[in-house]
Amino acid sequence: MSIMNPFVRLVVTTTVIITFLNMTAQEKKLPAPSFNGGMPMNEAVANRHSTRVFDTARDIDDATLGQLLWITAGVNRPEAKSEKEGAPANRSNPTALNRQEIRLFVFGKDGVWEYIPSTHSLSHIKDGDHRKLVAGNSEFSQDFVMDAPYSIVFVADLTNLPAGEPTKSMALIDAGIACENLNLGCASMGVATVPRATMDSAGISKLLGLTALQIPMMNNPIGYTK
């Protein structure tokens, strides 16, 4: 029976710890979403309005962020079975033919993350504050976006879908549906937001490493109003 060299043991242990820390840093599990309660739908619709003034002193905690992402495009039927030609129909946001092509990217002060519905977690994409790309481009920008702690960017991933304008048109509709989920979710939770089309789409695509078939559609800054 061989005994591991103490130096080798130290190297192996260190490697395991570093690997674990890197995995933890790359994916952040969000608090479990609530499937019950909340504001009645009539009140949420009555309270829904666009806000462009955000309180820079107030942040959004992970539980609130996670609940809003789940409302927007999360898994609301965990028991759903896979369909013959694709993923299970288990999302809070309906999509044409259950394509589930809408992806959510969270731009914050400390980095950019992608929401992963299947694990209700955030996958790290980039470090740093890139919200300026969401605010606009060199020709037109809305600086109030920088006052919101987060902005949610909707990307339509057409990689595995049929080519053509009908597909792009449906993806636009699907993005709008998910966006309205977010708007109503914010209204129900007392969070301020406004749906926007303005952003530096080329800059965002470059930052995220998107292809020509992965298209930034719209965005919502989220925070608390003053």
Side-chain angles (χ1 to χ4, degrees), residues 153-164:
V153 174
F154 299 81
V155 171
D157 190 344
L158 312 182
T159 304
N160 298 315
L161 303 182

Side-chain angles (χ1 to χ4, degrees), residues 46-198:
N47 288 329
R48 194 224 62 79
H49 64 281
S50 295
T51 300
R52 295 173 177 81
V53 177
F54 297 93
D55 186 348
T56 57
R58 295 188 66 184
D59 209 343
I60 288 183
D61 60 35
D62 285 350
T64 300
L65 176 61
Q67 187 71 22
L68 289 173
L69 292 170
W70 174 78
I71 289 171
T72 304
V75 173
N76 67 348
R77 286 154 288 170
E79 73 286 352
K81 304 299 182 182
S82 296
E83 298 183 339
K84 292 181 179 179
E85 298 181 359
N90 62 359
R91 297 290 184 86
S92 62
N93 60 313
T95 53
L97 301 178
N98 190 37
R99 289 166 171 169
Q100 299 185 6
E101 81 279 15
I102 303 303
R103 298 165 63 183
L104 307 182
F105 291 86
V106 181
F107 282 63
K109 291 176 284 188
D110 300 320
V112 181
W113 303 75
E114 181 176 4
Y115 176 58
I116 309 299
S118 60
T119 56
H120 191 58
S121 60
L122 293 175
S123 179
H124 179 256
I125 304 296
K126 291 286 183 181
D127 287 325
D129 188 350
H130 301 279
R131 291 173 298 162
K132 199 72 176 177
L133 294 173
V134 184
N137 52 41
S138 59
E139 296 178 357
F140 179 76
S141 183
Q142 295 177 315
D143 291 339
F144 69 80
V145 172
M146 300 298 294
D147 294 334
Y150 294 110
S151 279
I152 312 301
V153 174
F154 299 81
V155 171
D157 190 344
L158 312 182
T159 304
N160 298 315
L161 303 182
E165 288 304 316
T167 293
K168 290 183 179 179
S169 296
M170 288 309 305
L172 281 167
I173 294 171
D174 290 344
I177 291 171
C179 176
E180 185 63 359
N181 278 7
L182 177 55
N183 293 328
L184 291 174
C186 285
S188 71
M189 298 180 69
V191 174
T193 193
V194 56
R196 305 172 64 252
T198 298

